[in-house]
Amino acid sequence: MDRINEIAESCRKKLREASLRKVLVLYLVMAVFIALIAMLITCVICENWKDIIRQVNAIDEDYRYIGEGDFAINFVSDGVVIRKTDMVSLSMGDTKLWYALNAIEILCIPVYSIGAIILVSVIYYRNKLREPISLLKAETEYIKRNDLSFCCRYDSGDEMGDICQSMDSMRQAVINNQQIMWELMEEQRIINAAFAHDLRTPLTVINGYVEMLLEYYPKGQVSEEQLLNMLTLIQGQTERIRIFSETMKEVHGFEALEIKKKKHTEQELEQEIRNIITGLERDNAPDICISVKSCDSDLYYDENVVMEVLGNLLSNALRYGKKNIEILAEKQEEKLFLYVKDDGRGMTKEELYKADSPYYTDKTKNEQEQGGNDDVLYKKQNIHFGLGLTICKILCKKHGGNLSFCNSVDGGVIVCAEFFAG
């Protein structure tokens, strides 16, 4: 019995995994076979009943049915009946039964054929279509209600299983897209809040100097030198506000950017990276080592987006690196990964946590570069405003990836930019 159950379970599994076309053909063949067997059995039963009627009425094999319940011995010559002898007639009941048996033999052919078609349709729908169709209907209803919690999972190797899998993959893609959209909106909110907070400082400074001038200049208590000094400071704060506004416009431009993927080869990617390096190299800069791992297939990405991210990351690496910078590009499944590693001092815990936050900067580094001069804040460089990694993160997410970074075990920082390149 266990062996029979194992065989039956194996057959059910094979039918579940088989394609719709193969199962339909199998069901039709089985239906035709069953219909033929049923028709044969029906005809045999009818003929047996006819033999019983003949035996009851003492009609032997020499008699032939000639209609209306009559039997006779026919003599045939050249296919023509030339004489009828020894006529035998059936009773009224036997005649009706004989007619009924003849009708059953004739009608069983279309009846069994139609019944086989209906039976195949019902079984085929129940076994191969009912469950996946109900799952797909339920999934569409959930999506209409903007509810993406329903999992359209149908474990089968046929086409309906593929459709359900595609539907569930689409649901997951919608969830991921919504998550990315909400994250971008949250980042935009944080950027706006940070912009408003940082804008408050120069406005406060400007307002303080203006109030001072309005109060003391009419009284002649402000010298020309003091006046020029205050106006210079006000101009500097105004320039700071202008550059802040331009960086905000640039960030908004990146968020509205439309990703346009094109096919690229491994060699093209390496050449694009070298072009970026050539444009950023300067005297006494650290040596840059490039490594592009062999890709099994072509890469599909937006060159402008990927190179913009790489340019920002490489600018950071050149700023903090000492002697060597390493760039590694590789493809895993459908993702393109760009790694940029420097040999600088690494990141503190605070920097690891806040490095990609809007307007977060390494003030110590700025002061070292400019001798403590606050004018560095007026330079139009996003990385000095703390927007470089923020922009990189936005662009990576727009391209279906993400940005991450960590300290290397042998010193320095490793930044990983991930892009969907399938």
Side-chain angles (χ1 to χ4, degrees):
M1 183 62 69
D2 292 339
R3 180 60 179 169
I4 295 175
N5 291 335
E6 289 178 4
I7 295 174
E9 183 63 28
S10 176
C11 292
R12 282 195 293 267
K13 184 177 180 180
K14 289 181 179 179
L15 285 175
R16 191 175 181 85
E17 297 295 329
S19 66
L20 298 178
R21 182 176 61 182
K22 290 181 179 179
V23 174
L24 180 59
V25 171
L26 178 62
Y27 281 3
L28 288 175
V29 170
M30 291 177 62
V32 170
F33 178 76
I34 292 173
L36 290 175
I37 294 297
M39 285 187 283
L40 179 61
I41 293 174
T42 301
C43 291
V44 170
I45 292 174
C46 290
E47 290 300 325
N48 288 337
W49 273 97
K50 287 182 180 180
D51 289 341
I52 293 173
I53 294 174
R54 293 164 68 99
Q55 293 174 7
V56 169
N57 291 274
I59 301 174
D60 58 27
E61 295 179 356
D62 294 333
Y63 285 82
R64 297 291 181 267
Y65 183 72
I66 60 175
E68 297 181 359
D70 296 330
F71 288 83
I73 298 176
N74 299 333
F75 293 91
V76 181
S77 177
D78 296 330
V80 179
V81 177
I82 57 177
R83 187 176 60 181
K84 297 179 182 179
T85 60
D86 298 333
M87 183 80 66
V88 178
S89 297
L90 300 177
S91 64
M92 183 64 67
D94 289 342
T95 301
K96 291 180 179 180
L97 181 58
W98 189 276
Y99 279 126
L101 294 173
N102 285 336
I104 290 173
E105 288 181 326
I106 296 172
L107 293 177
C108 73
I109 298 175
V111 170
Y112 288 155
S113 300
I114 295 173
I117 293 173
I118 295 174
L119 182 62
V120 165
S121 302
V122 171
I123 296 176
Y124 184 75
Y125 177 80
R126 185 189 64 186
N127 293 344
K128 301 295 290 183
L129 299 178
R130 182 174 63 183
E131 183 178 353
I133 288 176
S134 63
L135 287 173
L136 291 171
K137 285 183 177 180
E139 178 73 10
T140 54
E141 290 298 324
Y142 272 84
I143 293 177
K144 284 180 182 178
R145 297 196 297 267
N146 201 26
D147 183 355
L148 301 176
S149 62
F150 184 78
C151 179
C152 184
R153 181 174 180 179
Y154 178 63
D155 295 326
S156 175
D158 60 16
E159 294 84 346
M160 296 305 295
D162 294 339
I163 293 174
C164 289
Q165 179 63 38
S166 299
M167 191 74 171
D168 198 60
S169 299
M170 182 183 70
R171 178 185 68 89
Q172 292 290 345
V174 172
I175 292 175
N176 294 335
N177 290 336
Q178 286 190 350
Q179 184 177 358
I180 292 173
M181 181 184 68
W182 281 109
E183 288 177 355
L184 291 175
M185 290 176 63
E186 179 63 18
E187 288 177 358
Q188 182 59 52
R189 185 191 66 79
I190 295 173
I191 291 173
N192 291 339
F195 176 72
H197 180 271
D198 286 358
L199 195 63
R200 190 178 305 145
T201 300
L203 288 176
T204 302
V205 173
I206 292 173
N207 185 62
Y209 284 127
V210 170
E211 289 180 353
M212 187 181 299
L213 289 175
L214 289 175
E215 182 177 353
Y216 295 105
Y217 185 76
K219 299 176 182 180
Q221 297 178 358
V222 178
S223 65
E224 291 294 328
E225 183 180 355
Q226 290 175 327
L227 176 61
L228 289 176
N229 187 39
M230 289 183 184
L231 291 176
T232 300
L233 292 172
I234 290 174
Q235 184 184 26
Q237 296 298 325
T238 305
E239 179 68 8
R240 183 178 182 180
I241 293 174
R242 184 185 68 80
I243 297 176
F244 265 127
S245 64
E246 289 183 0
T247 58
M248 282 297 296
K249 182 179 179 181
E250 189 173 354
V251 171
H252 281 295
F254 282 127
E255 290 183 342
L257 181 68
E258 181 181 354
I259 301 298
K260 298 179 180 179
K261 295 182 182 180
K262 293 182 180 179
K263 184 171 73 172
H264 297 265
T265 63
E266 175 187 336
Q267 293 74 21
E268 291 174 342
L269 174 61
E270 184 174 354
Q271 185 58 46
E272 290 163 3
I273 295 175
R274 293 191 182 277
N275 293 338
I276 291 291
I277 293 174
T278 302
L280 292 175
E281 280 182 334
R282 61 179 185 271
D283 295 336
N284 301 322
D287 294 332
I288 301 176
C289 177
I290 302 174
S291 176
V292 179
K293 285 195 174 181
S294 179
C295 302
D296 297 333
S297 58
D298 292 325
L299 300 165
Y300 294 87
Y301 60 83
D302 190 319
E303 177 185 349
N304 295 327
V305 171
V306 173
M307 292 303 114
E308 174 70 23
V309 172
L310 179 61
N312 268 329
L313 299 183
L314 193 54
S315 295
N316 260 1
L318 288 169
R319 187 167 176 238
Y320 289 95
K322 296 176 181 179
K323 295 182 179 180
N324 296 295
I325 295 174
E326 299 178 18
I327 299 176
L328 170 64
E330 65 175 346
K331 184 181 181 184
Q332 297 179 9
E333 295 180 351
E334 295 186 331
K335 294 292 184 71
L336 170 64
F337 293 90
L338 290 179
Y339 299 92
V340 178
K341 179 184 180 300
D342 63 56
D343 58 350
R345 64 173 177 80
M347 288 184 174
T348 64
K349 289 183 178 180
E350 180 184 5
E351 288 168 342
L352 286 172
Y353 180 71
K354 296 182 178 180
D356 58 353
S357 300
Y359 300 106
Y360 180 79
T361 58
D362 179 6
K363 295 180 180 179
T364 303
K365 185 66 176 176
N366 285 338
E367 292 173 359
Q368 290 175 354
E369 290 175 346
Q370 299 298 324
N373 189 347
D374 288 339
D375 289 344
V376 68
L377 294 175
Y378 306 146
K379 291 199 168 196
K380 188 181 177 182
Q381 295 182 13
N382 289 332
I383 197 66
H384 291 275
F385 276 104
L387 285 176
L389 291 179
T390 302
I391 289 173
C392 289
K393 187 175 182 180
I394 291 173
L395 292 177
C396 287
K397 288 189 175 181
K398 289 281 288 186
H399 211 296
N402 205 346
L403 183 74
S404 58
F405 38 84
C406 64
N407 286 325
S408 173
V409 293
D410 54 353
V413 176
I414 301 175
V415 185
C416 174
E418 173 190 341
F419 307 91
F420 182 77

